[in-house]
Amino acid sequence: MSERAVTTEDWSAVAADLDAQDPLAPFAERFEPAEGLRAYFDGNSLGRPVRGTAQELARFVEQEWGTRLIRGWDEAWMRWPEQTGDLVAAAALGAAAGQTVVADSTTVMLYKMLRALADGQVAADPARTQIVVDTDNFPTDRYVAEGVAAERGLELVWIESDPASGVTVEQVAEVVGERTAVVLLSHVAYRSGYLADARAITRLVHESGGLVLWDLCHSAGSVPIELDAWEVDSAVGCTYKYLNGGPGSPAFAYLASRHHGILQQPIQGWMGRRDPFLMGPGYQPAAGVRSLVSGTPPVVSMVPLRLSVEQLAEAGIGAVRTKSLALTDLAWRIVESWPAALGVTIASPREHERRGGHITIRRPDFREVNGRLWQEGVIPDFRAPDGLRLGLAPLSTSFAEVATGLEAIRQQLT
Ligand SMILES: *Cc1c(COP(=O)(O)O)cnc(C)c1O
């Protein structure tokens, strides 16, 4: 049987059919239009602004900050870290209210939570001195783990992860034991898009007496998460990727309620203190998840996030995941239809069970190719040494966009 090359027309027709059947298609119209943009494949790195974000920010400035002034803190903003955390938890994390806050950056929250978990473990059992992390985890996660280990005299145990896939249950089983304090892993690997088996890994770590800290930066808003059902101890993630909070929007952090009042994060600020306005001597942590807050909440940065999380809740994370897999499937099929002579390979998991919301393709000249694509309004992102990441945000990305963007990439290669 001869192989029939699928033409550009075929793929745009396939994409048009998929768009016509897509129940989430109307959501694409609910993002700010971007002039000159032909395909945006970076929703996993910086999500697009939801339409109405500018108006909501203006309304906030005029009607809340501008008129309520300092009274706004008592009337509402003081509670925004927990309230916004609950909104994120309900829409994206599978977590009951009262266990999530929005504050700080992901890096700072990773530090706070890793310290809280590690310190709690060492206090309970001084032999638990190991922090487990993987060699291809996102740089900030590795650096924070190195810093905490150095600061607390703990030992790092490295899992050698495959950059084209990710950390397996078997690899975790090999390293955890009676010396494990905390295991810090990414739910979706930032490079390959590998989706770790968070439930099985969490159970395994618990059987060894360890605690888990999941980094959800690349899964929150794209992959269903069940923090409560999986009995996760703690989790941290970005809100500016699939959660569309805007550049530098604050992180979220989850701490399971069974750990409240026991584990304590190290940055003892007045906003996480019981009765902060008593301005009293000595730090006493606030009750519940509020103790994860350290300083004044980044209120203005939560305004776009609150809008986008509402939209995610309306769409439903299950529907988002269904479309996410269909988008990466289409990208996969298109790349596979390219002639082998083009030398493009896919460095992501094929099976749905292990695939997150993005896939990575490789070719030695992709750094230069990416630069040219950006100039023509086709925006993937480049990850050294030779990867183009195709991050397909289900609410803002159409199937037609996938076909258009990949055709633009292919044309760069001939
Ligand atoms: C994007 C990302 C971060 C970013 O941390 P910041 O403090 O927001 O810069 C951290 N971890 C992972 C896995 C990421 O993908």
Side-chain angles (χ1 to χ4, degrees), residues 29-283:
E29 296 298 313
R30 291 163 58 174
F31 290 86
E32 284 295 333
E35 214 186 303
L37 184 73
R38 292 170 60 215
Y40 191 59
F41 293 165
D42 253 322
N44 62 326
S45 208
L46 179 64
R48 298 180 61 171
V50 169
R51 243 186 229 263
T53 297
Q55 292 80 347
E56 188 56 22
L57 280 163
R59 191 199 61 76
F60 180 83
V61 171
E62 289 162 13
Q63 294 175 28
E64 295 194 45
W65 176 15
T67 58
R68 300 319 297 156
L69 295 165
I70 195 82
R71 293 168 292 186
W73 283 114
D74 287 344
E75 290 165 0
W77 308 329
M78 200 58 90
R79 294 179 297 280
W80 274 30
E82 300 98 307
Q83 264 180 12
T84 315
D86 285 345
L87 295 174
V88 172
L93 306 181
Q99 304 175 96
T100 309
V101 294
V102 171
D104 304 321
S105 67
T106 303
T107 301
V108 170
M109 267 304 180
L110 278 168
Y111 171 76
K112 288 162 70 168
M113 301 319 297
L114 186 57
R115 272 281 311 261
L117 268 53
D119 289 355
Q121 287 283 77
V122 172
D125 178 356
R128 291 202 177 268
T129 54
Q130 294 182 340
I131 295 174
V132 176
V133 62
D134 73 291
T135 50
D136 205 47
N137 205 337
F138 191 82
T140 221
D141 301 60
R142 291 183 273 116
Y143 306 154
V144 164
E146 287 167 359
V148 168
E151 185 182 21
R152 307 305 278 169
L154 304 176
E155 184 190 345
L156 284 184
V157 175
W158 293 96
I159 293 175
E160 293 274 342
S161 46
D162 176 354
S165 65
V167 178
T168 63
V169 180
E170 293 71 28
Q171 283 178 305
V172 177
E174 276 170 26
V175 297
V176 292
E178 54 195 27
R179 299 200 47 212
T180 306
V182 186
V183 176
L184 163 61
L185 297 172
S186 284
H187 188 205
V188 169
Y190 80 103
R191 209 190 288 273
S192 67
Y194 178 89
L195 174 62
D197 189 343
R199 180 198 298 266
I201 290 175
T202 299
R203 189 182 307 137
L204 190 68
V205 173
H206 286 168
E207 281 165 10
S208 80
L211 299 178
V212 285
L213 173 54
W214 284 104
D215 183 326
L216 306 177
C217 282
H218 271 93
S219 56
S222 130
V223 174
I225 295 167
E226 296 290 342
L227 293 180
D228 287 345
W230 299 343
E231 299 182 5
V232 166
D233 300 291
S234 181
V236 170
C238 294
T239 64
Y240 51 81
K241 293 175 176 166
Y242 292 106
L243 294 175
N244 307 80
S249 62
F252 63 82
Y254 163 95
L255 182 67
S257 54
R258 64 183 175 279
H259 295 306
H260 293 183
I262 300 166
L263 298 181
Q264 203 182 316
Q265 60 86 7
I267 304 185
Q268 303 185 160
W270 70 309
M271 283 288 166
R273 191 191 189 277
R274 204 172 291 266
D275 303 321
F277 289 97
L278 290 181
M279 312 262 173
Y283 178 77

